[in-house]
Amino acid sequence: AELPDTEAPGLFDEAKKIADKAHAEGKYVLIHHWSLMYERIWNFRGMENLLMDYYDYPDEVHALHRAVADTEMKLLLRAIREVKPDGYMISDDLGTQRSLMMSPATFREFIKPYYREVWGLCHEHDLDVWLHTCGNVTPFLEDFIEIGFDVIHPIQKRCMDAEEIARKFGDRICILAGFVIYNKKFKIDEKLYAQILEDLKQRNCHE
């Protein structure tokens, strides 16, 4: 298999037009795409296979992560050069409704080092690092902070304690919180409205 051509002509032409307009209007420009390390690799291998590969084929998994990280950083440098973003957002769903997809030790061996490289490159160029990660990833938050992420999304309702996370980490990171919206075909009833107000209160916002 061949890796993507990170110097393909016109790759960021449309993004540059949008970013140039946003910058001219004084707006914050955020670039993003879905899937970085864990999600990207299990899309190649299949989730069950990858979770076994961590134990059965660690060298091969590292080689895949190395290739993904190198490709990502080449694309990121080109985007920085052409689009001139203020922030970089990526996704990796690392949690389930109850806990983590993998042990902290597995994360720290196979994923964290590559996050550190990519996010470090962002900070070298003064970009904020945004991470979308679904599920209960509370045990990973200190790791994320250590290696330099700035914004987390979404603090998933009904599996993470938003109030506790805001209290413990709110002075070190920004929280782009989510709300539960799967309620009566998206109608805002009194119960849901009360929940939204409570979420805003937890994040020191005003009604």
Side-chain angles (χ1 to χ4, degrees):
E2 294 185 1
L3 294 172
D5 180 4
T6 59
E7 294 300 325
L11 198 59
F12 291 106
D13 286 359
E14 190 60 33
K16 184 179 185 305
K17 292 177 184 177
I18 296 170
D20 286 348
K21 183 176 184 294
H23 279 310
E25 296 171 354
K27 294 179 179 178
Y28 183 99
V29 173
L30 179 68
I31 57 172
H32 76 92
H33 65 90
W34 297 113
S35 307
L36 183 52
M37 290 297 158
Y38 176 61
E39 287 184 344
R40 183 69 58 189
I41 302 301
W42 77 246
N43 272 288
F44 300 154
R45 290 287 297 136
M47 186 181 292
E48 185 175 342
N49 288 336
L50 176 59
L51 291 171
M52 294 298 293
D53 289 344
Y54 289 136
Y55 299 93
D56 295 336
Y57 304 104
D59 292 342
E60 287 83 353
V61 173
H62 273 298
L64 282 171
H65 281 290
R66 177 76 274 152
V68 169
D70 288 347
T71 301
E72 183 71 13
M73 288 189 287
K74 289 176 183 177
L75 287 169
L76 180 55
L77 283 171
R78 183 173 174 187
I80 290 169
R81 186 172 68 247
E82 297 184 19
V83 181
K84 298 179 176 59
D86 302 295
Y88 162 86
M89 184 176 187
I90 199 67
S91 76
D92 249 346
D93 290 343
L94 297 169
T96 69
Q97 296 293 96
R98 295 184 179 182
S99 187
L100 305 171
M101 287 279 191
M102 65 197 71
S103 71
T106 297
F107 169 78
R108 289 165 188 155
E109 178 179 353
F110 290 99
I111 298 176
K112 184 177 178 179
Y114 303 100
Y115 277 3
R116 188 191 300 272
E117 290 184 36
V118 177
W119 297 355
L121 181 63
C122 289
H123 287 145
E124 287 175 17
H125 293 270
D126 297 321
L127 269 66
D128 302 317
V129 175
W130 301 48
L131 176 66
H132 165 89
T133 182
C134 284
N136 186 353
V137 295
T138 305
F140 286 159
L141 290 178
E142 286 288 359
D143 291 275
F144 294 158
I145 291 169
E146 177 196 330
I147 56 178
F149 93 137
D150 302 293
V151 184
I152 187 168
H153 175 265
I155 307 297
Q156 188 167 328
K157 299 295 293 183
R158 298 178 180 168
C159 67
M160 295 179 75
D161 186 335
E163 186 172 1
E164 174 65 14
I165 288 168
R167 184 192 63 79
K168 187 173 181 180
F169 301 103
D171 61 339
R172 290 184 284 166
I173 58 173
C174 293
I175 298 171
L176 177 59
F179 298 102
V180 175
I181 59 173
Y182 44 91
N183 185 297
K184 295 184 178 179
K185 297 182 180 180
F186 307 107
K187 290 175 65 176
I188 305 297
D189 61 14
E190 291 183 5
K191 183 178 179 181
L192 181 56
Y193 183 69
Q195 175 209 298
I196 291 171
L197 292 181
E198 180 60 27
D199 286 344
L200 293 173
K201 180 181 177 182
Q202 289 173 6
R203 292 158 184 80
N204 296 318
C205 298
H206 297 286
E207 183 176 345

